[in-house]
Amino acid sequence: MDKESYVKFETPESLEKNVLDLVENSFRGGKIKKGTNEVIKSVERGESKLVIISEDVTPPEVVYYLPMLCDERKVPYVYVKKKTDLGSRVGISTAASISVVDFGKSADLYNKIVAEISSIKK
């Protein structure tokens, strides 16, 4: 299965680092949803501020429709290379996807990330 099937754009390394920092900050001082089912629910309920999707998810069907759902609901999303990197920031071994519901005191970092995502997607 081709991983590009759900990866719609390339995330620069510097952005990925900022995203992982935001995830960790949100986990410690805000609120996140872990696991694709929880992520989908938070997007559908309009709670999600940012969705982070791992590029190495198998099978890819697990997260395949997340980018489309995010576009439909106008929720910014971004990719990270490894689900182990994402999981380790929130105290679990791996995470296919995470939704940031409350970024706590990281508003500046959040705004910077969202601006960079929208410039990449254009």
Side-chain angles (χ1 to χ4, degrees), residues 2-122:
D2 187 17
K3 80 168 184 159
E4 265 65 50
S5 57
Y6 66 89
V7 178
K8 308 281 186 225
F9 57 88
E10 190 69 35
T11 303
E13 220 168 277
S14 59
L15 176 58
E16 182 172 338
K17 185 192 172 307
N18 285 339
V19 166
L20 289 170
D21 287 346
L22 179 73
V23 166
E24 188 169 350
N25 294 347
S26 302
F27 174 61
R28 298 192 190 294
K31 187 177 177 194
I32 61 154
K33 297 284 184 183
K34 297 180 267 199
T36 304
N37 287 341
E38 289 297 315
V39 171
I40 290 166
K41 282 189 245 172
S42 77
V43 171
E44 288 177 339
R45 290 178 185 145
E47 301 168 344
S48 187
K49 306 272 191 288
L50 176 68
V51 170
I52 303 93
I53 306 165
S54 300
E55 290 182 7
D56 62 344
V57 176
T58 48
E61 290 79 19
V62 173
V63 293
Y64 182 79
Y65 54 98
L66 264 178
M68 290 173 279
L69 178 65
C70 289
D71 283 338
E72 194 179 286
R73 298 297 176 110
K74 302 200 176 357
V75 174
Y77 62 93
V78 65
Y79 302 96
V80 295
K81 300 271 183 284
K82 296 191 178 89
K83 58 189 178 194
T84 49
D85 291 347
L86 193 53
S88 70
R89 298 297 183 110
V90 296
I92 54 178
S93 58
T94 64
S97 60
I98 282 180
S99 167
V100 173
V101 176
D102 176 4
F103 42 78
K105 296 182 171 75
S106 302
D108 291 345
L109 184 57
Y110 168 79
N111 291 329
K112 181 181 170 189
I113 288 168
V114 170
E116 196 170 338
I117 292 168
S118 62
S119 71
I120 291 169
K121 283 176 74 177
K122 285 194 171 109

